[in-house]
Amino acid sequence: MLPHSLLLLLTAALATSNSNTLDQIPLEAPLPTTFPWIQRFASIGDSYSAGLGAGGRLDFYCSRYAKSYPNILHTSLLGHNQNRTHQFLACSGQTSTEILETQVPALSHDLDLLTISAGGNDIGLSPILSNCVYQFYMASEDDCKTSIQEAAQRVASKDQLYKNITTLISATKPKMSPHGIIYLTGYAGFFGVDDDGCDNVTWAVWSTVESSKQYLKLELREALNALVRAVNSVLLDVVSDSGPGVRFIDYNAHIEALRGRYCEAGVAEPAPNRPALAFYEWDTMDSGEDPKKLRNRTGEDVPKDSFEGDIAKRINKTLREHPEWEFDPDKGFVNKTKAGGVDDKGAVGDTIHWLLPDSWKRVFHLRPEGHEVVARLLLEHLEKNGNGMKKDRLEL
Ligand SMILES: *[C@@H]1O[C@H](CO)[C@@H](O)[C@H](O)[C@H]1NC(C)=O
Ligand SMILES: *[C@@H]1O[C@H](CO)[C@@H](O)[C@H](O)[C@H]1NC(C)=O
Ligand SMILES: *[C@@H]1O[C@H](CO)[C@@H](O)[C@H](O)[C@H]1NC(C)=O
Ligand SMILES: *[C@@H]1O[C@H](CO)[C@@H](O)[C@H](O)[C@H]1NC(C)=O
Ligand SMILES: *[C@@H]1O[C@H](CO)[C@@H](O)[C@H](O)[C@H]1NC(C)=O
Ligand SMILES: *[C@@H]1O[C@H](CO)[C@@H](O)[C@H](O)[C@H]1NC(C)=O
C-alpha cells in the first residue's frame, strides 16, 4: 500500500520536472487496468529492484521496499487488476549467479511480465564503493583504481558479465507465457561531471584520518560513470541478442536530464535533500521520514548473509583490526583514544548488528523519485509495444 500523502508529494515533485510524459497519469487512485493481459507479474534482481531504502520496508532479509519500481508498478502504475499477482523476489546484494540459483527456481510459470535488474554486484559495485567512497578498510587510492580496473575487465570480457546475464535471461524464458515480456533494467551514473565543485568533497567513513580520505574528484566521478555506461551497453547487447520477448530500460539519460545525480553543476555538496536528487546521499530524508529515527536505527540484528549482514561484517572486521576505533552513527569511525572515553560501544558480538544507520546504508541507491522514473519508462514502453505477440524490436 502506498501512503496517500506520499503519492501526492511524488506527483507534485514529478509535475515540476521538465518531463511532460511523466505527469499525465494521476497516482491517487488505482486506475482501471490498461493491461488485462498482465496477470502473472514477477520481479527478480538486486537492490536496484528491491528498492533498498525507498519507502516502507516490506522485507528484512532482502531489503525490499515499497517505493521500488516493481512495487510501484504493481500497486499503482499498472492499474487495478484483481487477477494480477506479483512475485517480488528481488534481493539486495545478489549477483546474477545468486539470482539464477535462488530467485529463478522460485518463479512461478506462465509469467506475463518479468522485470530483472542484475549485473551491478557481478562487477563488484560494493568493493568499488567500499574502496573509492566509504573506505571501510581505509583503502588507498590504488585500491580504488584496482577495483575499478577489475570491474572494467569483467564488463569487457565476453565470458563474464555478458555471458552471466545471458544465462540468467535464458533461464527465465521457460517461465514465461507465450506472449510474456521480460524487461531488463540498467543502472544510472551517480555523478554530475560538468565541473570540479565536488573535488573537495569526501564521503569516507573514517571521519578523522585526513591523509587517507578519497575525494569525489572529477576523474573518479568520470571513471565511475563510464563503468555504469559500459555495464548498460553490455546489458543492451544481451537484450538485443535475446530475441523479441526481451527489452531493455535505460534510464541513465533520464536521471541526468532531471539533474538527479550527485555533484550536478552548481550544486554545493553535501545537498542531501535537494528535491531533484534521484539517489540517496548521506543524511537524505524523504518526506515523512523522521530524521532521529533514521539516525538511531543502528544495532538491529540482521541476517548473516543478507546485504546488510555483509556490510556489517566489513565494519566488524575493521573494528577488529583497529581496536582503537569505534563506530559512531553520526560521525562514522572515530578514534576512541582521542575522543576520551574508551568503551566497547562499537564492539560487535556474535550476532551481527546493523551498525550503519538507515540514513547511510541506502546511499548510492535510488530514491522513490528515481524508482518512479524507471517504473514510468517501463510503463510507457509497455503502452507503446504491448505484449510479446507483437514481436516488436526494441528501439531506445
Ligand atoms: C478476472 O478474471 C475473471 C475470471 O476469469 C474475469 O471474468 C475478469 O474479467 C478478470 N478481470 C480482469 C480485470 O481482467
Ligand atoms: C559469472 O558466473 C561464473 C559462474 O557462476 C562466476 O564464476 C563468475 O564470477 C561470474 N562473473 C561475473 C562477472 O559475475
Ligand atoms: C569546497 O570548495 C568550495 C569552493 O571551491 C567551497 O565553497 C567549499 O566550502 C569547499 N568545501 C569544503 C568541504 O571544503
Ligand atoms: C535515539 O537514541 C537516543 C540515545 O539512545 C535516545 O535518547 C533517543 O530517545 C532516541 N531517539 C529516537 C527518536 O528514537
Ligand atoms: C588515536 O588516538 C591516539 C591518541 O591521540 C593516537 O595515539 C593514535 O595514533 C590514534 N590512532 C589513529 C589510527 O589515528
Ligand atoms: C564480529 O567480531 C567479533 C570479535 O570482535 C567476532 O567474535 C564475531 O564473530 C564477528 N562477527 C562477524 C559476523 O564477523
Side-chain angles (χ1 to χ4, degrees):
M1 289 300 125
L2 300 167
H4 193 238
S5 57
L6 278 182
L7 285 177
L8 287 174
L9 280 163
L10 243 185
T11 313
L14 283 163
T16 57
S17 77
N18 57 6
S19 174
N20 290 326
T21 50
L22 288 182
D23 57 18
Q24 286 165 357
I25 302 158
L27 281 170
E28 283 78 7
L31 302 164
T33 187
T34 33
F35 305 102
W37 59 274
I38 303 178
Q39 303 206 347
R40 299 167 82 90
F41 173 31
S43 302
I44 59 175
D46 55 21
S47 56
Y48 287 79
S49 295
L52 182 66
R57 194 193 267 271
L58 300 174
D59 158 275
F60 212 102
Y61 185 80
C62 287
S63 289
R64 290 180 207 115
Y65 281 74
K67 292 283 186 172
S68 56
Y69 77 80
N71 202 54
I72 291 174
L73 283 168
H74 178 60
T75 58
S76 144
L77 290 187
L78 286 177
H80 179 69
N81 181 347
Q82 68 195 28
N83 298 341
R84 189 176 61 238
T85 56
H86 184 215
Q87 267 192 302
F88 193 7
L89 303 173
C91 198
S92 298
Q94 293 204 336
T95 62
S96 63
T97 306
E98 289 164 333
I99 296 166
L100 179 70
E101 284 166 1
T102 64
Q103 297 178 35
V104 173
L107 284 171
S108 69
H109 53 92
D110 281 325
L111 295 172
D112 302 309
L113 177 65
L114 174 68
T115 65
I116 307 177
S117 73
N121 293 316
D122 297 40
I123 64 149
L125 186 61
S126 77
I128 290 171
L129 296 182
S130 177
N131 288 335
C132 301
V133 182
Y134 305 108
Q135 294 179 271
F136 289 123
Y137 303 129
M138 294 175 77
S140 69
E141 211 169 318
D142 282 350
D143 296 326
C144 168
K145 282 200 179 115
T146 306
S147 49
I148 291 179
Q149 277 162 8
E150 282 172 5
Q153 278 163 14
R154 285 189 211 123
V155 177
S157 161
K158 271 273 171 185
D159 57 39
Q160 293 280 328
L161 184 66
Y162 177 91
K163 186 178 165 202
N164 289 9
I165 304 295
T166 301
T167 305
L168 175 63
I169 289 180
S170 307
T172 62
K173 281 188 169 174
K175 303 280 190 171
M176 305 303 294
S177 76
H179 61 264
I181 290 291
I182 299 169
Y183 276 98
L184 182 66
T185 55
Y187 297 88
F190 298 112
F191 295 103
V193 289
D194 295 327
D195 65 19
D196 59 5
C198 258
D199 283 16
N200 62 359
V201 173
T202 179
W203 289 342
V205 291
W206 298 88
S207 57
T208 53
V209 186
E210 190 52 45
S211 62
S212 66
K213 277 184 189 169
Q214 294 273 17
Y215 286 84
L216 301 178
K217 296 214 178 82
L218 189 57
E219 191 190 359
L220 173 62
R221 286 181 271 138
E222 278 171 343
L224 292 173
N225 282 2
L227 193 60
V228 170
R229 279 196 306 273
V231 170
N232 281 349
S233 145
V234 170
L235 298 179
L236 178 58
D237 284 348
V238 172
V239 163
S240 306
D241 297 345
S242 292
V246 187
R247 300 166 178 174
F248 184 54
I249 297 294
D250 186 350
Y251 54 94
N252 182 46
H254 297 258
I255 299 292
E256 182 178 341
L258 292 168
R259 286 171 48 83
R261 305 166 304 176
Y262 309 124
C263 304
E264 293 287 1
V267 172
E269 296 287 357
N273 293 307
R274 196 167 60 87
L277 182 64
F279 297 103
Y280 286 105
E281 192 166 318
W282 309 122
D283 287 332
T284 296
M285 298 296 150
D286 287 326
S287 50
E289 287 182 337
D290 174 356
K292 277 203 192 113
K293 223 166 147 188
L294 276 177
R295 264 188 220 113
N296 255 23
R297 275 191 49 198
T298 61
E300 287 174 72
D301 292 349
V302 294
K304 250 194 166 84
D305 47 357
S306 65
F307 174 79
E308 280 122 333
D310 184 54
I311 296 188
K313 252 193 287 189
R314 284 167 193 263
I315 295 174
N316 197 12
K317 180 165 178 265
T318 307
L319 291 172
R320 235 171 17 241
E321 286 168 5
H322 299 271
E324 75 276 26
W325 296 93
E326 71 178 352
F327 184 78
D328 178 327
D330 282 328
K331 299 185 194 135
F333 289 108
V334 295
N335 189 338
K336 285 195 280 194
T337 328
K338 236 175 200 158
V342 179
D343 60 40
D344 63 353
K345 220 175 101 206
V348 189
D350 271 351
T351 332
I352 301 187
H353 291 293
W354 175 250
L355 287 167
L356 284 180
D358 274 14
S359 54
W360 285 37
K361 72 188 171 198
R362 61 190 183 181
V363 172
F364 288 99
H365 289 88
L366 290 172
R367 297 175 75 183
E369 292 81 354
H371 282 283
E372 191 80 25
V373 168
V374 182
R376 284 184 183 272
L377 281 172
L378 208 152
L379 186 80
E380 283 174 16
H381 200 276
L382 267 177
E383 279 167 346
K384 281 197 204 111
N385 299 287
N387 65 31
M389 294 297 219
K390 288 187 161 180
K391 302 262 187 282
D392 291 314
R393 283 298 287 181
L394 166 77
E395 283 177 54
L396 272 178

